[in-house]
Amino acid sequence: MVDDTIRLNAIDEYGLCVVAHDQLTTEGWQRTWSCHYAGDRTALGPTIRAVIDLAILDLGASNLVPH
């Protein structure tokens, strides 16, 4: 489990770029979050916390260090 302090620190330490994309669907507006990191990697998910958590887990599994 990643807490909000770790998430906020990771944005700066790893240079995470987090954006939201809203799309109008037949069911109404749908928001998808995207986190770009480590040059060419991207995590997609339904919440900002989910995409940051995915990025942190991937960075840890790949043994990438903060810059």
Side-chain angles (χ1 to χ4, degrees):
M1 178 90 167
V2 178
D3 67 27
D4 286 340
T5 301
I6 293 171
R7 287 183 190 102
L8 288 172
N9 290 338
I11 291 170
D12 180 50
E13 290 175 5
Y14 291 102
L16 304 181
C17 177
V18 182
V19 297
H21 174 74
D22 293 328
Q23 181 175 357
L24 184 58
T25 67
T26 56
E27 291 84 34
W29 287 99
Q30 177 183 357
R31 176 167 284 174
T32 301
W33 287 92
S34 175
C35 180
H36 302 279
Y37 60 99
D40 63 347
R41 296 180 185 203
T42 302
L44 298 173
T47 67
I48 191 170
R49 285 182 173 96
V51 296
I52 294 173
D53 289 354
L54 287 171
I56 291 170
L57 290 172
D58 183 40
L59 288 164
S62 302
N63 294 321
L64 296 175
V65 295
H67 48 135

